Amino acid sequence: MVDAAMQSGTADRACLFEAFARRLPNGRRYGIVAGTGRLLELIQAFRFEDAELDWLRENNVVRQGTLDWLADYRFGGEIWGYREGEAYFPGSPLLTVESSFAEGVILETLILSVLNYDTSVASAAARMVSVALGRPIAEMGSRRTGEQSAVAAARAAYIAGFDATSNLEAGRRWGLPTMGTAAHAFTLLHDSEEDAFRAQVTAFGPGTTLLVDTYDIRAGVELAVAVAGTGLGAVRIDSGDLPTVVAAVREQLDSLGAVNTRITVTSDLDEHTIAGLSGSPVDGYGVGTSVVTGSGAPAAGMVYKLVAHKGDRGEDWIPVAKASAQKISVGGRKSAFRRLDATRTAREEIVDVQGVGADTPAGTSNESERELLVHLAHKGVPDERYLGHAGTLLAREHRAKAMQELPVQAFRLGLGDPVIPTTYR
Amino acid sequence: MVDAAMQSGTADRACLFEAFARRLPNGRRYGIVAGTGRLLELIQAFRFEDAELDWLRENNVVRQGTLDWLADYRFGGEIWGYREGEAYFPGSPLLTVESSFAEGVILETLILSVLNYDTSVASAAARMVSVALGRPIAEMGSRRTGEQSAVAAARAAYIAGFDATSNLEAGRRWGLPTMGTAAHAFTLLHDSEEDAFRAQVTAFGPGTTLLVDTYDIRAGVELAVAVAGTGLGAVRIDSGDLPTVVAAVREQLDSLGAVNTRITVTSDLDEHTIAGLSGSPVDGYGVGTSVVTGSGAPAAGMVYKLVAHKGDRGEDWIPVAKASAQKISVGGRKSAFRRLDATRTAREEIVDVQGVGADTPAGTSNESERELLVHLAHKGVPDERYLGHAGTLLAREHRAKAMQELPVQAFRLGLGDPVIPTTYR
């Protein structure tokens, strides 16, 4: 497309692209935006190096003039969007890119890959956090998604309210709290379960978490307390009918005097099994597959559409949209506001479709309409506040605030409509 | 685990780890192994650099002795496994790693991330290829999965029989055929659909593929032929009730004399919608979300288990397995064979659990039992044949052969049992 547009003289036209989702996946009530801070860093670093340029040349993918343009590529446009961690609904204008056509269209795959994956994880994770009722919840799913996606998933889950991750690289890269645990292999490696427990307690002290279900859970719990003492930090259970097993283990721990020993459960948890444990004496959850694969919705359904461009004389914005019976898109630059009632509860997502003349998003809002768009990058330079460790923490904090505004119906797990309607004005 | 095992003196014990899946996802009849070649390259390059070591030190994650060991880490063990592209079933021993405990356990996340994701994509893709009935099928889902997973997905889909990808980096990195297409943004950028079609035909000639559903499909097709002539390569349709629309477009193209113009469809296809178009005059498919997210099974359910170790005196292998009512694991080194009948049709997956004394996988097989394990890496050095562009192509060819052996019931789309049973002997 860039190659053809360079030939037809339209590659330099000023354009507005918008990323949004037409619907929430799986009958969910709300979604949580994630990936934005990570994306801003990737856009700033987006380059075509010699290896890529050589391959494009040798395979005649694009012409020499386009190769020259790619070699010099630096994104220099404007980006507005929802804060990372914000709640979103169908049609919410999550990211708006203003640049030349070529400069903006070439980012489409990067933008959608990051937003689709990270938002999918965060939207699933937020539901797990809300049903965990304040009990700690750790992301342990690295092995169930692509090896690089695993790092992004840990970050997205943390933004959505998870407390820690087992992915050490995510800890290093994004400043997340990390945790570790012993697997069955550690127990099986040793000549006996007792040897394994002793080795772990020697290395990490009695405050460690012992995995007690390698052979027999009842015998495992007894042995764990015998080896570590009643100061044992926690036991982990990774199999069995969890409500039954957890109740029995709690009773056993108490009877052994290990009244402060916590119970951590793992074992293919998702938002529904976590909700099913709300009445059980569980002290912490570890979640794997379901969180890193978006719990049934591994891509958030984001699209990236051209919504306006200027003509060759660079005068006014011309709103554009595909006219398809099934896929409604709304052209033009948008602003967005969340209407809050007197109790600061969200009641409506307002997408403000501005007139042809608008050159920046409208900045008007009033007490009961919280403005949702922020300026994420200016002349290609991202706003520092949204980057790195600090940006990740900021996103997590913003998510907590945004969740507090949602009507209580948002937290129902069953299928339903978005908890607030989206209105265009 | 490595840190504790180094202290307890068990880190150096000779171990066998095995990657396998307890079940096929979603009532599928077979799975296709993918990721192996890519994984061998990643294992060979697996290192801990200063940035990671510094972070581990500063955060007191492991002790100094462990940091020293990590700094020198090079995998030097043996790897056996199924060929990439092979069909697999529950319990198939897809990858066996023989090394010290520490050396093998530290690869767990990498091995499972790659095998779970790539196998998920290939297993879904193979079903789409079989229902496409020989019509070309292209992978176009990069924007619906993590930005690095996208490259792996393109490769896995190609191994499973897809013909091309829109991911140019996958083309460069793995030697895959690539294709491109114009999006609605290209049409919307121009002052009219006619301008857009003219720009594209000027750039790429009449053999290009024009996207005809931006405004009105009937008018779009007429305009496409008017601009490009009856030599127009193809039209792409991305919306609408496809069987109806495709039939109408074919009739219209023929009536305009464009009898050789092909029809390509995209629009959220999966194996079921592709099967539903088998009677329609479609000439090619482009598949996005469903293939890169494993069509409902975004992780293949692989696990990586310690199945045997030697004692401190390094004498005999001791088979080990977790004893859990729900999660059956079989200890010990395995070999695997596919029993074929006189028509070379697969009838049984035989997993040979060898005695304690076996020091390498059994190599015996006869005419009706095809041996499934190959030696993938020796002393840490991968077999060159399975790497890079050549390895990817080899995997694609092997997949074609393996598919030919499957009973015809394997290709039913509905829920069911694995098409052949897995037998332990």
Side-chain angles (χ1 to χ4, degrees):
Chain A
M1 282 196 278
V2 170
D3 203 42
M6 289 187 81
Q7 280 198 80
S8 78
T10 50
D12 291 332
R13 284 189 169 185
C15 284
L16 283 177
F17 296 89
E18 181 188 311
F20 63 98
R22 292 197 173 92
R23 66 194 73 84
L24 298 174
N26 287 7
R28 299 224 185 115
R29 314 308 178 96
Y30 67 98
I32 294 292
V33 181
T36 317
R38 194 167 87 74
L39 175 62
L40 291 172
E41 297 185 15
L42 289 168
I43 289 174
Q44 193 174 25
F46 196 71
R47 299 284 185 279
F48 291 82
E49 307 288 351
D50 287 348
E52 289 99 28
L53 295 167
D54 289 348
W55 184 85
L56 292 169
R57 182 183 298 110
E58 285 158 16
N59 291 272
N60 294 310
V61 177
V62 292
R63 265 159 277 246
Q64 186 60 46
T66 306
L67 287 171
D68 296 340
W69 180 85
L70 291 172
D72 291 336
Y73 185 84
R74 306 282 185 276
F75 179 72
E78 304 297 314
I79 306 178
W80 290 272
Y82 278 39
R83 284 169 189 272
E84 190 163 14
E86 186 65 84
Y88 78 92
F89 301 93
S92 296
L94 303 183
L95 201 82
T96 300
V97 173
E98 178 178 345
S99 67
S100 76
F101 176 76
E103 207 174 340
V105 82
I106 210 157
L107 295 175
E108 174 169 4
T109 298
L110 180 65
I111 288 172
L112 288 178
S113 290
V114 172
L115 292 182
N116 266 320
Y117 182 69
D118 294 24
T119 297
S120 152
V121 172
S123 298
R127 283 157 55 93
M128 298 171 192
V129 169
S130 71
V131 296
L133 305 174
R135 292 169 179 170
I137 180 167
E139 184 279 312
M140 299 169 65
S142 290
R143 62 195 64 181
R144 305 306 179 102
T145 187
E147 72 279 10
Q148 300 291 337
S149 290
V151 183
R155 180 180 179 277
Y158 179 70
I159 287 171
F162 272 52
D163 297 281
T165 176
S166 63
N167 189 303
L168 294 173
E169 174 62 11
R172 188 185 74 84
R173 182 68 184 79
W174 299 107
L176 314 187
T178 59
M179 48 76 69
T181 185
H184 296 111
F186 187 79
T187 301
L188 294 170
L189 168 70
H190 289 81
D191 294 334
S192 68
E193 195 172 36
E194 184 174 348
D195 280 5
F197 286 178
R198 241 177 246 298
Q200 194 176 329
V201 170
T202 302
F204 301 116
T208 192
T209 299
L210 294 175
L211 177 63
V212 293
D213 71 342
T214 304
Y215 302 108
D216 174 82
I217 292 179
R218 196 165 173 83
V221 169
E222 191 168 329
L223 183 64
V225 176
V227 168
T230 54
L232 173 63
V235 295
R236 176 161 81 97
I237 304 168
D238 187 47
S239 54
D241 177 54
L242 291 177
T244 313
V245 174
V246 166
V249 168
R250 180 74 270 157
E251 199 173 79
Q252 188 185 359
L253 285 170
D254 290 347
S255 75
L256 292 169
V259 293
N260 294 316
T261 299
R262 286 167 282 112
I263 299 177
T264 297
V265 298
T266 49
S267 192
D268 279 340
L269 298 179
D270 64 15
E271 60 270 48
H272 303 287
T273 49
I274 292 170
L277 287 163
S278 58
S280 296
V282 172
D283 301 289
Y285 300 100
V287 184
T289 309
S290 66
V291 66
V292 302
T293 61
S295 198
M302 302 286 174
V303 293
Y304 180 77
K305 297 294 175 186
L306 180 68
V307 293
H309 65 78
K310 292 188 176 181
D312 288 330
R313 291 177 306 282
E315 59 290 354
D316 290 331
W317 287 109
I318 304 164
V320 294
K322 183 186 174 194
S324 154
Q326 296 182 315
K327 296 182 177 174
I328 300 302
S329 299
V330 179
R333 188 196 288 276
K334 321 280 194 314
S335 289
F337 303 90
R338 190 154 298 154
R339 187 167 66 74
L340 306 171
D341 68 15
T343 67
R344 301 291 296 172
T345 303
R347 292 300 170 202
E348 189 179 17
E349 188 84 341
I350 300 168
V351 180
D352 208 331
V353 184
Q354 295 163 69
V356 162
D359 253 330
T360 56
T364 53
S365 68
N366 58 44
E367 270 180 42
S368 64
E369 287 187 3
R370 181 162 72 80
E371 189 172 2
L372 296 168
L373 294 193
V374 293
H375 203 156
L376 295 168
H378 177 54
K379 293 188 176 171
V381 180
D383 187 323
E384 288 277 339
R385 288 174 295 176
Y386 305 122
L387 308 182
H389 295 200
T392 303
L393 188 59
L394 185 68
R396 189 173 196 268
E397 292 166 353
H398 186 73
R399 187 262 334 153
K401 285 182 211 157
M403 298 272 285
Q404 282 175 354
E405 291 175 353
L406 295 183
V408 68
Q409 294 84 348
F411 305 109
R412 294 177 59 175
L413 288 184
L415 304 185
D417 293 322
V419 72
I420 58 172
T422 301
T423 310
Y424 292 86
R425 72 177 180 197
Chain B
M1 281 197 279
V2 170
D3 203 42
M6 289 186 80
Q7 280 200 80
S8 78
T10 49
D12 291 332
R13 284 189 169 185
C15 285
L16 283 178
F17 296 89
E18 182 188 311
F20 63 97
R22 291 197 173 92
R23 64 195 74 84
L24 299 174
N26 288 4
R28 300 225 185 114
R29 314 309 177 97
Y30 68 98
I32 294 292
V33 181
T36 318
R38 193 167 88 74
L39 175 62
L40 291 171
E41 297 185 15
L42 289 168
I43 289 175
Q44 192 174 25
F46 196 70
R47 298 285 184 279
F48 291 82
E49 307 288 353
D50 287 346
E52 289 100 28
L53 296 168
D54 290 346
W55 184 86
L56 292 170
R57 181 181 300 110
E58 285 158 19
N59 290 272
N60 295 311
V61 177
V62 292
R63 265 159 277 246
Q64 186 60 45
T66 307
L67 286 172
D68 295 341
W69 181 84
L70 291 172
D72 291 337
Y73 185 84
R74 308 280 186 275
F75 179 73
E78 305 297 313
I79 306 178
W80 292 271
Y82 277 39
R83 285 170 188 272
E84 191 164 12
E86 185 65 84
Y88 78 92
F89 302 93
S92 296
L94 302 184
L95 200 80
T96 300
V97 172
E98 177 178 346
S99 67
S100 76
F101 176 75
E103 205 175 341
V105 82
I106 210 157
L107 295 175
E108 174 170 5
T109 298
L110 180 66
I111 288 173
L112 287 178
S113 290
V114 171
L115 291 182
N116 266 319
Y117 183 68
D118 294 25
T119 297
S120 151
V121 172
S123 297
R127 282 158 55 94
M128 297 171 193
V129 169
S130 71
V131 295
L133 305 174
R135 293 169 179 170
I137 181 166
E139 185 279 311
M140 299 168 65
S142 290
R143 63 194 64 182
R144 305 307 179 103
T145 187
E147 72 279 8
Q148 300 292 338
S149 290
V151 182
R155 179 180 181 277
Y158 179 70
I159 287 171
F162 272 53
D163 298 281
T165 176
S166 62
N167 189 303
L168 294 172
E169 174 61 12
R172 188 185 75 82
R173 181 68 185 80
W174 298 107
L176 314 186
T178 60
M179 47 77 69
T181 183
H184 296 110
F186 188 79
T187 301
L188 295 170
L189 168 71
H190 289 81
D191 295 333
S192 67
E193 193 173 37
E194 184 173 346
D195 279 5
F197 286 180
R198 242 178 244 298
Q200 194 177 329
V201 170
T202 302
F204 301 115
T208 192
T209 298
L210 293 174
L211 177 62
V212 292
D213 69 344
T214 303
Y215 302 107
D216 174 83
I217 293 180
R218 194 164 176 83
V221 170
E222 191 168 328
L223 183 63
V225 176
V227 167
T230 54
L232 173 63
V235 294
R236 176 161 82 95
I237 302 168
D238 188 46
S239 54
D241 176 56
L242 290 176
T244 314
V245 173
V246 167
V249 167
R250 181 73 269 158
E251 197 173 82
Q252 188 185 1
L253 284 170
D254 290 347
S255 76
L256 293 169
V259 294
N260 293 318
T261 298
R262 284 166 286 110
I263 298 176
T264 298
V265 298
T266 48
S267 192
D268 278 340
L269 299 178
D270 64 14
E271 60 271 48
H272 303 287
T273 48
I274 293 170
L277 287 163
S278 60
S280 297
V282 171
D283 300 289
Y285 300 100
V287 183
T289 309
S290 66
V291 67
V292 302
T293 60
S295 199
M302 302 286 173
V303 293
Y304 180 78
K305 297 294 175 188
L306 180 68
V307 294
H309 64 78
K310 293 188 177 182
D312 288 329
R313 291 177 308 280
E315 58 292 353
D316 290 332
W317 287 109
I318 304 164
V320 294
K322 181 186 174 195
S324 154
Q326 295 181 316
K327 296 181 175 175
I328 300 302
S329 299
V330 179
R333 188 195 289 276
K334 322 280 193 313
S335 290
F337 304 90
R338 190 153 297 153
R339 187 168 65 75
L340 306 171
D341 68 13
T343 67
R344 301 288 298 171
T345 302
R347 293 299 170 203
E348 189 179 18
E349 188 83 341
I350 300 168
V351 179
D352 208 329
V353 185
Q354 295 162 70
V356 162
D359 253 330
T360 56
T364 53
S365 69
N366 58 42
E367 271 181 41
S368 64
E369 287 187 5
R370 181 162 70 81
E371 188 172 3
L372 296 168
L373 293 192
V374 295
H375 202 157
L376 295 168
H378 177 54
K379 294 188 177 171
V381 181
D383 187 324
E384 287 276 338
R385 287 174 295 177
Y386 304 121
L387 307 182
H389 295 200
T392 303
L393 189 59
L394 185 68
R396 188 174 197 267
E397 291 166 354
H398 186 72
R399 188 263 332 155
K401 284 182 211 157
M403 298 273 284
Q404 281 175 355
E405 290 175 354
L406 295 183
V408 68
Q409 294 85 346
F411 306 109
R412 292 176 61 175
L413 289 185
L415 303 184
D417 294 322
V419 71
I420 58 172
T422 301
T423 309
Y424 293 86
R425 72 176 179 198

